[in-house]
Amino acid sequence: MGGITSLASAAMGLYGYGTRKDISSFCFLETSDGSDILVAKDGSLGTVIRVDGVKQVLGSDELNKIIEDMNIRMSPYLVRDGHALQVWFARDPDLSTQMVRDLVMPARRVARKLDIDLEDVFAERERHLPKFVTWEGFYIVMWTRLTVFTKKEMEGARLEMQVPKMWPTISDTQNPFLVAKQLKDRHRAFVTSFLADLKDIHIRAEALEVHEALKAMKWSVYPDLIGADWKASMPGDPLRERVPEINDYDASHLLWPRIEPQLFDREAERINPRIVRIGSQYFAGLDMSIGPMETLPFSVLMQRMIELDEFPWRISFLIEGEGLRSLNIKAFLASIFQITNSDNKQIRQAIKELHESRQEGTTVTKLRVSFATWGPAGDNGYRLIEERASRLQRAAESWGHCSVTPLVGDPLAAVLSSSIGLNLAPTAQAGAVPLPEVITMLPWNRDASPWKYGSVLFRTPDGRPWPYQPGSSLQDTFIDLIFAPPGKGKSVYMNTTNLALCLSPASTSGTGGAQLPRIAIIDVGPSSSGLISLLQEALPIDRRHEVAYHRLRMIPENAINPFDTQLGCRYPLPLERAFLVNFLTTLGTEPGEEKPPAGLPGILGAAIDAVYEKLDDRHRKGVPNRYNPGVSRAVDRAVKAHNIPVEHGVTCWWDLVDALFQKNDIHHAILAQRHAVPRLENLMTVLRDEQVMDVHGEARIMTGEKVVDVCARMISSAIREFAILQRPTAFDIGDARVVALDLDEVAPKGGAQADKQTALMYMLARFVLARDFYLNKDDTQKFPEDYRAYHIPRIRRIRETPKRLVYDEFHRTAKASMVRAQVLNDMREGRKWGVHIALASQLLQDFDADMVDMASGIWIMGVGNDRAAIQAGEIFGLSPTALDIVKRDLGGPSGKGAPFLTILNLKEGKHEHLLFNTLGPTEVWAFSTTAEDAALRARLYELLGPVEARRRLAQRFPGGSAKVEIERRVKVAMERGAKDDKEAEEGIIEQLVKEISGTN
């Protein structure tokens, strides 16, 4: 604010007043008009704006841009008298526990509806997160006063505001006649313009409906009521007739009660000249008496409060126009006494410089700043509030070297000066301050989550909770790219957000009732095993099959037949056929080659059509597979149990599918169908059929070999090399809804052949986990008529269910062009099918440019070097501050959580935030993916049960891992002569199991 304004502030000092008034006398609100306008007793109009915060991280460059823009936009309103803004900001760590409990409650309700016992996880969130987050409120009250009128306009407004002559006496109710139409029009223009200005500088804000506005005001008077569901009775609400209390001629009881007794339901008590008691809280108010010598941004004050072990506090800025008007008398007095007092010369010079500043186009405002702190009244309350007031004063005075005083005359008036919107007469001394300096001091740097609630709770670096709900209506598409080098918290983040989707309110809606969402995780390694284990153990025993972790192996018992169709369907659906063509084309592409042989996709498409037609029992030329008892003992038993007639050599597998389906034995109908559909070997029987050869028989590849021969060779080779393609499907996820498929054993590294196999396994994994994701009601016309009644409600429920397809270690598909083409298609079509896509890898370069362009969420956990950071900044259009964060602040998990930068493209625009994923030890233990931790956790789950095991692990290793302790003990064992570190590790894990379980 500088020396000029400091002197001006001192020059405008007023003596504190010592009047003793009851608490309701400080409210000058009279009534409301419309949905968001409050009316004062003098006819002024006010609107309360709730400010959620900024949509991008702010550094000095971004803050300077806001100051520049807001100075231009706000100047027209504050260059003259008539408009005022109260900017109110508060933080209250004492409310953190209740706030976290409220934020966790929606996810807890979902868990209860789904019958998932995660109570230990929720309880720990309520214990752990309050250490890192703080309740926060940010409001702006916009006032338009009658002084905005000319003298003639004022006269008309006064006439308009008179009570009608025939109106009955209403001495104890709200006066509805204090609104001047012209003033209302100007006020609406003021509010609308200001909200548009905030939107333009990427700040989320909303004008509050009057009931919500009054609730915020009441909360600022009684902080212990924050969160209470209170509602004032205002014009437009149903009238609740009251008992007449004044006289027979007074109609007050027929209208809405006055605002004051509704707002103030507990009286105030003055404890001493500095402290008052309001309800259950002690309060201390402080006023800024001399403005700061150096104007510093609000973040400096915030950081100072955090360093002082933050406690409940608030600050209120009252900003009015015509800041120089009241200085005229000071200038006059200073000129009289300039001969005898050198200080007056300084005052006069300060005022002169402010006038010159205004002549140069700078708007000079009248600014008053008030502070308050509070704490519970009780045995230790008096000492606590004195200590907090002293700490608040130290923090405030270190904010640019200003002066703050707790001695302001009436302590109740001082405290209520920093409440929301009660009056426009704070006790703080007024300073004449240039508007750019005022804007610099305001709390613009508050990160805003667009979600009010979310099943995962991130936080900002300075402790603001940041709810996040995957798959919400705030997004048009759900495509996430996650990247970071190893050890940066990527796996824990993915487990966190996958669990969040499981606890989404959308999971409990739909025609089928409460069900888990469909989540398909394609992983290389055990990263997702912790999530699966957590959910499995939390479900009732009879429902644990709904969550599964499978490690795919190249054995016949894990056979997957890509020719499988939907139940009853003799032919694949269009998307299934397209997948088959892509899969077989990849199978037929030589290792190391990026493109398949010319003509291969065409002949494969024709062969696929021919083989399904050949095995169709309802086609006139069909030769379906005949049923052979002993092939599937489960089907044999079902046939016998249902007394289904079988004629040897005549009954086909499709006959049994239909018969079992009619008996409503869906499970065994599906098993029978696995033997009815084609298999890879059946393609050999149709390659030289007339309908294939007529079109493709003479096609040749570059070497001169016929495409049909290439195709036959490919099929023979695949049947020989890939055991999981040799038989009908045996790998079965059954009714599992959340499934992780670990491809570690079947997706090798090293060489072109390994790359090809990896591509095939990724494609098979997607097929087996997610082929139902892409069904819709239009597909029902392609189903056999006798199966439509079964599929229609099934497809409806699939459409209503949140679905997420996750590809971890995505860099393993770098050489798999067909896999990436399939993923790109999933990304393009995902919105139509309601499918969320998440790709996770180690480098930004692991994602194709088109994938980056389509992403709606970018989650950067870290980068390898500055060059990678600069590349990310260029691709995503990061602000300078965000680029610095990527370079400097993403250091991986610590006791405070794992930091990351997120860029979200929402319906309301782009968001850019630095956040932390802060989990307690119980949740970290649940999600841990290190081999040592997983082994220890699994043994303790067996012995103690999951809840008790996690509790003891969290107690023994609050960092969320035993890896360091295990490695330490292994080292000691090796020094003492152990010969094999693996054996030593296993022994130490078993030793820890005994120590923790108490089974020594």
Side-chain angles (χ1 to χ4, degrees), residues 253-267:
H253 62 286
L254 299 176
L255 296 174
W256 304 274
R258 291 167 52 240
I259 289 178
E260 293 93 326
Q262 298 189 73
L263 278 179
F264 306 107
D265 52 22
R266 287 175 284 179
E267 191 48 73

Side-chain angles (χ1 to χ4, degrees), residues 561-574 576-577 580 607-626 650-662 669-670 672-679 682 771 779-788 790-791:
N561 181 11
F563 289 84
D564 283 339
T565 59
Q566 300 295 323
L567 181 59
C569 289
R570 273 62 175 175
Y571 298 89
L573 298 172
E576 294 171 338
R577 182 185 181 277
L580 259 180
I608 288 167
D609 294 339
V611 75
Y612 278 106
E613 184 178 291
K614 181 176 182 178
L615 297 184
D616 179 5
D617 64 315
R618 299 182 180 183
H619 192 275
R620 61 186 179 85
K621 294 184 180 180
V623 185
N625 290 330
R626 301 301 173 186
V650 176
T651 302
C652 67
W653 284 101
W654 279 119
D655 293 330
L656 296 186
V657 173
D658 295 339
L660 290 165
F661 177 75
Q662 289 167 9
I670 292 172
Q673 184 166 318
R674 292 176 180 176
H675 299 273
V677 296
R679 298 203 303 273
N682 296 126
R771 69 191 183 105
D779 290 327
T780 57
Q781 299 304 313
K782 302 177 181 71
F783 287 90
E785 191 171 349
D786 44 336
Y787 284 84
R788 290 177 189 171
Y790 164 76
H791 284 291

Side-chain angles (χ1 to χ4, degrees), residues 931-975:
E932 301 92 336
D933 292 337
L936 177 59
R937 180 182 63 210
R939 287 286 291 116
L940 287 170
Y941 273 14
E942 292 174 8
L943 288 173
L944 303 174
V947 174
E948 181 62 17
R950 288 194 294 266
R951 187 189 71 79
R952 295 194 190 187
L953 283 167
Q955 187 176 36
R956 178 69 179 272
F957 299 104
S961 175
K963 183 177 174 64
V964 173
E965 175 63 11
I966 292 171
E967 289 176 345
R968 184 189 69 80
R969 294 192 185 192
V970 168
K971 182 179 179 182
V972 171
M974 296 300 290
E975 290 172 351

Side-chain angles (χ1 to χ4, degrees), residues 52-54 56-57 445-449 460 464 466 912-914:
D52 294 326
V54 70
Q56 66 175 37
V57 289
N445 65 324
R446 312 312 304 140
D447 281 79
S449 170
T460 65
R464 187 172 190 187
W466 210 93
E912 179 187 80
H913 302 279
L914 171 62

Side-chain angles (χ1 to χ4, degrees), residues 55-56 202 876-878 903-906 908-912:
K55 296 194 289 187
Q56 66 175 37
H202 309 297
F876 301 124
L878 298 181
I903 303 109
L904 301 174
N905 295 310
L906 307 181
E908 68 173 20
K910 178 182 174 181
H911 277 250
E912 179 187 80

Side-chain angles (χ1 to χ4, degrees), residues 178-220:
L178 287 179
V179 180
K181 184 180 182 304
Q182 270 192 305
L183 192 68
K184 183 176 177 180
D185 292 341
R186 295 193 188 186
H187 180 71
R188 285 210 176 280
F190 179 34
V191 173
T192 301
S193 175
F194 187 76
L195 285 172
D197 293 340
L198 292 180
K199 184 176 181 181
D200 287 345
I201 61 171
H202 309 297
I203 289 179
R204 299 183 72 250
E206 177 186 5
L208 293 184
E209 188 267 339
V210 291
H211 296 92
E212 292 300 311
L214 289 167
K215 185 186 293 185
M217 292 178 181
K218 189 179 183 84
W219 287 354
S220 72

Side-chain angles (χ1 to χ4, degrees), residues 3 131 158 306 370 395 422-423 477 612 630 685 731 737 743 747 765 853-854 970:
K131 303 172 188 175
R158 295 290 186 197
I306 293 173
S370 303
L422 293 183
N423 63 61
T477 58
Y612 278 106
T685 66
F731 180 82
R737 304 182 65 79
L743 305 183
D853 291 342
M854 285 188 283
V970 168

